[in-house]
Amino acid sequence: MDKTKKDVENSLNDPFGIDELQRRKQAVLDQASEKARIRQHKKGRLTARERIQQLLDPDSFVERGMLAHSDLKAAREKSPADGKVCGQGSIEGKAVCVSADDVSVMAGAGGRVGYKKEYELQLYAQQRGLPYIHMGDGGGARIPDIMGATGMMTFTVPVNHAARNRGNFMATVIMGECYGGPTWKACQSDIVIQVKGTSMAVSGPPVLAAATKEQVSPEELGGWEVHAKTTGLVDLFAENDQHALEIIPQLLSYFPPNAAELPPIAPAREPATEEGDILELVPQDARKTYSMHKVLKTLVDADSLLELKPYFDGSLITALARLDGKVVGILANNPKVMAGAMGPGACEKAMSFISLCDSYHIPLLFIHDTPGFYVSKAAEMRKMPQKIMSFIDAIQQSSVPRLSLIMRKSYGMAHCNMVGARMGADSLLAWPKAEISFMSPLVAVEVVLGRKMKESAHPEAMRDAFLQEMDKMNAPWEAAGANLIDRIIDPRETRQELIQALNLALSSDTHRRSARHLSNWPRMT
């Protein structure tokens, strides 16, 4: 086609195309709907570019595919960057790749070009060993792009994009109404953060209403409380966009950028002293509850405890923390929830956490205070036996150092799952008053002597004698004598003992690195 007179004049006035480049780049920034920006701000949310700007170090963002647009003629002029803002930058001086759904472009629904750009960035991050952060705020694939045989088949993710063995750290932040694409990203990620007031699901309420006649709100379908308490798909929750963006640098401080490197070591910090003496925090009576969170804060470095999935089956606490500056993954029974009896959700949470830590060379610390697994018809209906054994399988396939501490009680199969005797702990420690057995004495006395006590003239004396004998049998001394416990320790020296055990376990460079057998395990099973 012949050039117009205006094209010729522009070419003569701008022989290197610099003005044209600036014009096109500015057009991308200007094309985003002002109404959409205003809607975001009214919701208390940021735009895609504002989010990236606040997340990354100043002037570090290098955008990829800024001049991309839809490959459909009708959408070409209204699809700046084809709805995906992608590129590289740095967070606290560390290189990262980042992508963000632009909800101001066709409600954040993704086009063919935009998704391809995003997938290519994710693949690049994997190949170069860079952390990858995705900020989701979109309704999945764009219609009509995905409609029809060609449309559907060109949206299929190539196998080399879909496969991921946790070779590089990846996080997704749910920052709006996310269906389809952002949800798939989240389910691939090592860590998922969700901003309260947002939604994450396979399809949105309009699709459900059209396909199944089911009427449901975004919050009921995939709001933060659904994923916090029911699905366990989200690890951390933020009050707003700013809070979510503040969490990301904190997360990155626990993980290496990729599996070829080791977790970063920070300067050691003494625990928070205001939590009080550990002997005052833990009651002597094993039937009384207490705050395991407070206990953990007396053991780990100050301000280093970061709990994941805090609302999902709280009988087990899973948290990242530091001991003497070194990153550890903690699994601790929580006496305040079901007395520390772990249910199906706790098993799922444990498997997910063990896989995460083992994939990035993070040592594991198990802290026992459990009466056993939660037994009920409801638990059996959720495949409790299989979940218990899959939990065990995850432990046995993990190859990072494993430390284990029995504080008060450790009963039944849960003793094995919390890395008790002969379960491969690098160090198995116990407090002097620890109780270890198949079941609690109070339960055992009913099972063993229930009928006899009913027939006895002195049931209380029979009961007391049995309990006294069980107390002796359950104490750790005979087990230590049989070399089933490595060390019985003074509770006041627990932190120092754990640091010493960790340093010994990490003294060999080969033991610092996991064999990563769990890197391909699903995030949740």
Side-chain angles (χ1 to χ4, degrees), residues 101 103 106-110 115 137-142 177-182 202 204:
D101 299 323
V103 75
M106 298 183 177
Y115 266 126
D137 192 357
R142 191 184 299 155
E177 284 60 57
C178 293
Y179 309 113
V202 173

Side-chain angles (χ1 to χ4, degrees), residues 94-327:
K94 299 173 183 176
V96 296
C97 290
V98 61
S99 59
D101 299 323
D102 191 345
V103 75
S104 72
V105 179
M106 298 183 177
R112 196 170 6 258
V113 173
Y115 266 126
K116 182 174 181 289
K117 181 173 67 169
E118 183 184 286
Y119 290 141
E120 288 175 349
L121 179 68
Q122 181 178 341
L123 181 60
Y124 179 84
Q126 292 176 25
Q127 292 171 337
R128 296 294 184 269
L130 297 173
Y132 174 49
I133 313 297
H134 179 68
M135 293 180 276
D137 192 357
R142 191 184 299 155
I143 297 175
D145 298 51
I146 200 171
M147 297 301 290
T150 303
M152 179 65 228
M153 295 174 81
T154 54
F155 265 87
T156 303
V157 181
V159 66
N160 63 338
H161 289 296
R164 184 170 182 272
N165 69 346
R166 286 182 157 164
N168 66 310
F169 179 75
M170 178 176 171
T172 292
V173 192
I174 301 301
M175 308 184 86
E177 284 60 57
C178 293
Y179 309 113
T183 302
W184 313 144
K185 272 280 195 295
C187 292
Q188 277 191 311
S189 295
D190 296 302
I191 297 290
V192 182
I193 305 166
Q194 184 171 9
V195 177
K196 294 179 181 180
T198 66
S199 179
M200 178 181 78
V202 173
S203 296
V207 175
L208 264 66
T212 67
K213 311 303 179 187
E214 184 178 5
Q215 300 293 328
V216 63
S217 70
E219 291 76 18
E220 293 169 324
L221 185 64
W224 79 270
E225 290 188 280
V226 170
H227 296 305
K229 300 173 184 177
T230 304
T231 72
L233 290 176
V234 176
D235 300 288
L236 295 163
F237 302 90
E239 297 298 325
N240 49 43
D241 281 16
Q242 288 84 356
H243 183 204
L245 298 173
E246 290 168 4
I247 291 173
I248 294 171
Q250 182 184 9
L251 266 179
L252 292 175
S253 72
Y254 292 98
F255 292 92
N258 58 69
E261 300 183 36
L262 293 172
I265 297 177
R269 299 182 63 187
E270 289 299 311
T273 55
E274 65 270 21
E275 297 299 336
D277 186 271
I278 199 165
L279 296 182
E280 296 176 2
L281 293 173
V282 183
Q284 292 184 5
D285 186 342
R287 293 168 295 182
K288 292 184 178 180
T289 64
Y290 61 93
S291 172
M292 178 62 80
H293 291 90
K294 288 185 176 181
V295 170
L296 293 178
K297 288 179 181 179
T298 70
L299 302 178
V300 303
D301 293 8
D303 302 321
S304 73
L305 190 71
L306 180 64
E307 185 176 1
L308 305 182
K309 305 187 192 302
Y311 308 106
F312 185 64
D313 197 337
S315 62
L316 181 71
I317 297 167
T318 51
L320 297 165
R322 285 190 178 81
L323 269 176
D324 198 35
K326 300 176 183 69
V327 181

Side-chain angles (χ1 to χ4, degrees), residues 322-357:
R322 285 190 178 81
L323 269 176
D324 198 35
K326 300 176 183 69
V327 181
V328 293
I330 298 174
L331 297 94
N333 301 125
N334 184 5
K336 279 198 168 184
V337 179
M338 296 192 295
M342 296 177 286
C347 293
E348 294 172 3
K349 186 159 72 166
M351 286 184 278
S352 171
F353 188 68
I354 292 167
S355 299
L356 172 68
C357 292

Side-chain angles (χ1 to χ4, degrees), residues 66-78:
M66 182 180 187
L67 301 182
H69 52 68
S70 172
D71 56 3
L72 297 182
K73 187 175 181 180
R76 180 184 179 111
E77 299 302 322
K78 55 181 180 180

Side-chain angles (χ1 to χ4, degrees), residues 63 120 129-130 317 324 383 456 471 484:
E63 187 167 351
E120 288 175 349
L130 297 173
I317 297 167
D324 198 35
K383 303 182 287 188
S456 172
D471 284 344
L484 294 170

